[in-house]
């Protein structure tokens, strides 16, 4: 099996080796007073790398590339690694047996490093682990680390060549300060398809022995060409690790709750939370680089632990159209489970236990923590969280044989409840008479702020404010400013809409619009053609501004205004009649930087001021 040393590097894009060393100018002039001598910056001797010169990495699960640990984490991992590598005879260089060592808590307290497995694993939620790597040798420029098993060989050879105590025991001494243009090879280490050449203590190059074909080898040989390109390697990381390079303590914790569709994909909420966390970090670095605040997001996976019907639904599912059947059983079926008088309480209890478990686990590791806690829920998760927070027990006690459950609720206070793409208002409207004010929705003593965030084109999301005061159906929801910029899907669809409309103010319809009037304008015509889902969506897009779903509702009076707005909508930029956006809008919140900015600033209101 071939060994590819060029991790994350294209072997066909070799860069030519430059012949200039890193020199500093000496201020001493020669006899003529014209030329200046140059002296190499590095000592002609090499010593073992110090802990601060080594850098540890973890492989990002999304981009599949090596990400550096902060200096604080790297130093602690390195010190633990050096203790682990001490063998029974105390010789670190040839020791391979691990001594017992405690796990190293990294990345701000939410991951553990397991040196015996060379893994970085999540502490609070299961199923997330990343490979880690000890970086000692790197590709110059990119500082991509070389795999540990190869860098170990390179480091040992380097110390044999240049370590002072080694040189005193050697009969032959390398010629230090050799002019770079001579390019004399001091030593070579061979690997499969690659070799490492030492030309000087600070000139180590990786060469590829790969040639595309026998024909190319024969041609280059006859023409007298030799391969003189490669990758320059550097020893030690570009930045010295320091204990001051560490994340701030968590002062706001957010539990992220998923909606439907997690039965067969337990890692989806972890991936979505990771994307959202990265968006928040980008917004914080861009707009608030000096802030000392730190917000952290914990994924809450509640579906996989629930057995519910014991897979009876799968047993009664016909084999026909299995793909669609499987999709429905693993996604939409969750709605039926939750509205079921038999299983609704079990779903709530499962999520409630997981939220309390995460809280108590975090509190046990941070006994003096005085921060705040919020919940970020998506889709059906908004409904379940709401019912847990408010203590709604549903109708489980009415059917015969239904289990009786004690509602304990959450064991921690909630600062904010962020709902993304939420159908909560529909559930509330169908349960009882609409409430008359916000206190009937989420009392302040249970949750200080409630935010209903949605895309205009999200087919699952509904407004909350008209449920409290009907007049708000004529008042636009609060527009979330585009601080994070427009996401790629919006840009693409905006361009498509622009090309379709061709700048015509009359906004002619494309072929996909079937060139008919809006269903809202011509109900009889659409009635003849039958029911169409896209017709309903198109009707919403084509509705005139003066059109209101509740035309008889009088304007809202000052005494009817809500103390705090609840509905917040994301800006829709030029999406026009593109139906694709309606399909993707319900899941687009996780990578939307506008949502990330909104959550960040609402969690820390002082940032905006």
């Amino acid at each position: 099996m071939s060994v590819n040393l060029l991790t994350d590097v294209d072997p066909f894009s070799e860069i030519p080796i430059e012949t200039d060393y890193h020199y500093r100018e000496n201020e001493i002039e020669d006899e003529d007073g014209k030329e200046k001598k140059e002296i190499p910056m590095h000592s002609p001797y090499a010593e073992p790398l110090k802990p601060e010169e080594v850098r540890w990495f973890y492989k990002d699960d999304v981009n599949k590339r090596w990400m550096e640990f902060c200096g604080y984490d790297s130093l602690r991992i390195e010190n633990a690694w050096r203790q682990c590598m001490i063998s029974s005879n105390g010789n670190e260089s040839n020791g391979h047996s691990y001594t017992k060592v405690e796990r190293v808590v990294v990345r701000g307290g939410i991951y553990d490093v397991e040196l015996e497995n060379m893994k970085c694993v999540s502490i609070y939620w299961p199923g997330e682990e990343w490979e880690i790597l000890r970086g000692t040798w790197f590709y110059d420029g990119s500082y991509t680390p070389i795999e540990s098993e190869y860098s170990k060989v390179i480091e040992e050879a380097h110390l044999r060549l240049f370590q002072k105590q080694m040189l005193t025991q050697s009969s032959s001494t390398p010629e230090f300060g050799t002019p770079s243009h001579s390019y004399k090879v001091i030593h070579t280490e061979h690997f499969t398809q690659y070799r490492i050449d030492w030309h000087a203590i600070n000139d180590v190059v990786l060469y590829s022995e790969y040639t595309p074909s026998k024909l190319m080898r024969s041609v280059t040989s006859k023409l007298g060409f030799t391969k003189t390109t490669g990758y320059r390697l550097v020893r030690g990381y570009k930045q010295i690790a320091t204990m001051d390079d560490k994340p701030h303590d968590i002062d706001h914790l957010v539990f992220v709750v998923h909606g439907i569709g997690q039965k067969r994909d337990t890692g989806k909420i972890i991936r979505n939370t990771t994307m959202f966390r990265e968006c928040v970090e980008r917004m914080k670095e861009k707009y608030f680089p000096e802030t000392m605040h730190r917000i952290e997001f914990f994924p809450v996976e509640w579906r996989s632990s629930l057995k519910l019907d014991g897979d009876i639904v799968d047993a009664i599912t016909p084999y026909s159209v299995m793909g669609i059947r499987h999709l429905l059983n693993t996604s939409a079926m969750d709605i039926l489970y939750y509205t079921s008088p038999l299983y609704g309480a079990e779903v709530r209890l499962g999520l409630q236990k997981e939220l309390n478990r995460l809280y108590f686990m975090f509190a046990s590791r941070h006994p003096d923590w005085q921060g705040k806690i919020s919940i970020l829920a998506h889709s059906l998760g908004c409904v379940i969280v709401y019912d847990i927070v408010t203590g709604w027990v549903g109708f489980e006690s009415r059917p015969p044989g239904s289990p009786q459950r004690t509602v304990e609720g959450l064991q921690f206070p909630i600062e904010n409840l962020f709902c993304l793409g939420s159908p909560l208002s529909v559930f509330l409207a169908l349960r009882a008479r609409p409430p008359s004010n916000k206190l009937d929705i989420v009392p302040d003593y249970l949750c200080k702020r409630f935010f209903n965030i949605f895309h205009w084109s999200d087919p699952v999301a509904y407004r909350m404010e008209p449920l409290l005061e009907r007049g708000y159906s004529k008042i636009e929801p609060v527009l979330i400013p585009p601080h994070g910029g427009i996401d790629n899907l919006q840009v693409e669809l905006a361009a498509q809409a622009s090309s379709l409309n061709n700048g015509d103010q009359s906004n002619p319809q494309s072929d996909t619009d079937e060139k008919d009037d809006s269903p809202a304008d011509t109900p009889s015509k659409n009635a003849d053609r039958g029911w169409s889902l896209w017709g309903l969506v198109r009707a919403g897009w084509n509705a005139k501004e003066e059109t209101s779903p509740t035309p008889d509702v009088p304007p809202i009076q000052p005494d009817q205004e809500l103390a705090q707005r609840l509905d917040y909508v994301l800006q829709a930029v030029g999406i026009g009649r593109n139906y694709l956006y309606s399909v993707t809008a319900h899941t687009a919140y996780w990578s939307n930087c506008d949502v990330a900015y909104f959550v960040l600033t609402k969690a820390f209101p002082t940032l905006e001021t």
Side-chain angles (χ1 to χ4, degrees):
M1 184 177 73
S2 63
V3 178
N4 188 352
L5 284 181
L6 302 179
T7 306
D8 298 329
V9 179
D10 184 3
F12 299 102
S13 61
E14 292 182 315
I15 57 174
I17 293 299
E18 302 293 339
T19 58
D20 60 319
Y21 287 116
H22 298 288
Y23 284 94
R24 59 180 174 84
E25 293 184 346
N26 194 331
E27 297 300 329
I28 301 177
E29 297 180 348
D30 62 4
E31 296 179 355
D32 298 331
K34 296 180 180 179
E35 298 180 356
K36 294 182 179 181
K37 298 180 180 180
E38 292 181 332
I39 302 176
M41 293 177 60
H42 299 284
S43 166
Y45 303 108
E47 295 297 334
L49 290 170
K50 299 177 182 179
E52 58 268 22
E53 296 176 289
V54 178
R55 184 56 65 101
W56 284 79
F57 295 79
Y58 62 93
K59 180 162 287 188
D60 181 73
D61 191 46
V62 177
N63 300 317
K64 305 297 182 183
R65 57 189 177 90
W66 290 112
M67 307 288 291
E68 66 182 64
F69 283 100
C70 66
Y72 176 78
D73 288 345
S74 186
L75 280 172
R76 291 162 56 246
I77 299 172
E78 176 65 15
N79 290 331
W81 179 87
R82 295 191 179 210
Q83 293 178 12
C84 287
M85 292 303 295
I86 298 176
S87 62
S88 57
N89 60 4
N91 188 348
E92 181 180 337
S93 62
N94 61 7
H96 297 285
S97 60
Y98 284 93
T99 58
K100 182 64 176 178
V101 64
E102 297 293 333
R103 295 183 176 186
V104 182
V105 181
V106 296
R107 300 196 63 194
I110 60 176
Y111 293 90
D112 275 339
V113 160
E114 299 176 348
L115 287 173
E116 62 273 21
N117 301 321
M118 293 297 284
K119 297 288 185 181
C120 177
V121 299
S122 54
I123 295 175
Y124 297 96
W125 52 90
E128 188 179 19
E129 64 175 34
W130 298 330
E131 182 184 356
I132 62 174
L133 178 145
R134 183 176 184 259
T136 55
W137 284 84
F138 305 85
Y139 296 101
D140 191 19
S142 67
Y143 273 86
T144 302
I146 295 177
E147 296 291 338
S148 299
E149 55 185 300
Y150 309 122
S151 62
K152 182 177 183 293
V153 176
I154 299 172
E155 176 67 6
E156 291 174 351
H158 192 78
L159 291 177
R160 285 197 306 270
L161 287 171
F162 301 110
Q163 195 170 4
K164 189 171 185 179
Q165 56 267 35
M166 297 293 185
L167 293 176
T168 58
Q169 301 172 4
S170 176
S171 58
S172 61
T173 305
E175 299 179 12
F176 299 112
T178 302
S180 58
H181 59 270
S182 68
Y183 235 54
K184 179 178 180 181
V185 177
I186 298 174
H187 178 74
T188 299
E189 287 285 337
H190 291 279
F191 299 94
T192 305
Q193 296 186 357
Y194 303 98
R195 76 175 192 273
I196 310 294
D197 285 352
W198 276 260
H199 301 284
I201 189 172
N202 62 338
D203 191 0
V204 183
V205 183
L206 182 149
Y207 292 98
S208 173
E209 303 290 357
Y210 172 82
T211 51
S213 65
K214 291 183 179 180
L215 176 62
M216 287 298 298
R217 285 199 298 267
S218 62
V219 171
T220 55
S221 176
K222 290 179 180 179
L223 294 177
F225 295 137
T226 58
K227 198 156 190 165
T228 59
T229 59
Y231 296 93
R232 188 183 299 278
L233 305 181
V234 293
R235 182 173 182 252
Y237 197 54
K238 58 185 177 181
Q239 295 175 341
I240 297 296
T242 65
M243 295 295 286
D244 294 333
D245 178 22
K246 61 180 297 188
H248 300 294
D249 293 334
I250 299 173
D251 48 4
H252 203 122
L253 185 60
V254 180
F255 293 130
V256 183
V257 179
H258 67 78
I260 64 174
Q262 307 282 296
K263 182 179 180 181
R264 304 296 187 199
D265 189 1
T266 58
K268 185 175 182 180
I269 184 58
I270 297 177
R271 296 191 299 271
N272 289 340
T273 303
T274 299
M275 283 193 296
F276 194 76
R277 183 188 296 116
E278 292 174 351
C279 286
V280 171
E281 286 299 315
R282 287 200 297 270
M283 293 297 96
K284 188 168 68 171
E285 293 174 3
K286 180 178 181 179
Y287 292 100
F288 314 105
E290 303 299 326
T291 183
M292 304 291 286
H293 291 300
R294 180 186 168 196
I295 185 172
E296 190 52 71
F297 299 87
F298 282 16
V300 183
E301 203 287 303
W302 54 266
R303 183 61 180 86
S304 61
S305 62
L306 301 177
K307 300 301 181 182
L308 299 177
D309 62 8
D311 294 329
I312 187 63
V313 170
D314 291 336
I316 63 177
T317 301
Y319 289 107
S320 60
V321 289
M322 283 301 296
I324 298 178
R325 298 280 193 178
H326 177 77
L327 176 63
L328 294 175
N329 287 354
T330 57
S331 56
M333 188 61 63
D334 286 343
I335 301 176
L336 298 181
Y337 283 134
Y338 190 62
T339 55
S340 166
L342 294 177
Y343 303 116
E346 190 171 348
V347 173
R348 284 194 298 276
L349 187 61
L351 176 54
Q352 177 181 295
K353 284 184 176 180
E354 182 63 13
L355 287 167
N356 286 332
R357 183 193 71 83
L358 287 172
Y359 167 71
F360 285 120
M361 188 176 181
F362 180 80
S364 65
R365 287 175 169 253
H366 305 81
D368 299 325
W369 189 68
Q370 299 294 325
K372 298 178 179 179
I373 300 177
S374 294
I375 296 180
L376 178 73
H378 178 245
S379 191
L380 181 65
C382 303
V383 182
I384 307 174
V385 169
Y386 170 84
D387 291 344
I388 294 173
V389 172
T390 59
W392 189 81
V393 296
F395 308 102
E396 284 82 3
S397 59
R398 296 183 182 180
S402 177
Q404 299 290 332
R405 301 189 183 276
T406 302
V407 180
E408 298 178 356
L410 300 179
Q411 302 301 303
F412 53 87
I414 300 177
E415 186 73 13
N416 304 295
L417 175 55
F418 300 98
C419 292
L420 306 179
S422 171
L424 174 60
S425 59
V426 173
F427 280 76
L428 296 180
L430 298 179
R431 286 176 181 175
R433 293 180 180 275
S436 58
N437 54 60
K438 178 181 179 294
L439 293 179
D440 292 329
I441 291 290
V442 184
D444 290 339
Y445 67 90
L446 293 177
C447 177
K448 291 187 178 179
R449 288 297 306 271
F450 178 93
F451 301 98
N452 184 42
I453 305 168
F454 60 95
H455 275 283
W456 272 121
S457 298
D458 187 343
V460 180
Y462 288 83
R463 293 192 62 181
M464 288 292 297
E465 292 170 341
L467 189 66
L468 306 176
E469 292 291 349
R470 192 66 60 86
Y472 272 89
S473 62
K474 293 187 175 182
I475 299 178
E476 295 290 338
V478 181
L479 181 66
I480 296 179
H483 289 91
I486 307 169
D487 59 69
N488 292 334
L489 181 60
Q490 284 179 308
V491 173
E492 180 181 350
L493 294 178
Q496 294 176 5
S498 176
S499 62
L500 290 174
N501 295 335
N502 197 26
D504 190 352
Q505 297 297 324
S506 62
N507 195 16
Q509 296 166 319
S510 65
D511 293 338
T512 58
D513 289 324
E514 301 173 0
K515 297 183 179 180
D516 63 320
D517 295 329
S518 167
D521 298 331
T522 57
S524 59
K525 185 175 182 179
N526 279 281
D528 295 336
R529 298 177 58 184
W531 180 86
S532 169
L533 173 62
W534 292 126
L536 297 177
V537 175
R538 189 163 62 247
W541 281 338
N542 292 339
K544 304 297 186 292
E545 292 184 1
E546 62 270 12
T547 303
S548 172
T550 54
D552 297 332
V553 176
I556 193 170
Q557 300 300 317
D559 60 343
Q560 296 176 316
E561 292 182 358
L562 299 175
Q564 296 175 339
R565 295 298 301 270
L566 305 180
D567 293 335
Y568 295 84
V569 65
L570 290 162
Q571 186 176 32
V573 181
I575 61 174
R577 305 165 185 267
N578 288 274
Y579 308 141
L580 175 62
Y581 205 77
S582 286
V583 179
T584 60
H586 187 58
T587 58
Y589 302 101
W590 307 114
S591 59
N592 190 295
C593 287
D594 294 343
V595 179
Y597 181 93
F598 182 86
V599 171
L600 175 64
T601 53
K602 296 306 178 184
F604 304 112
T606 56
L607 291 180
E608 289 188 301
T609 59

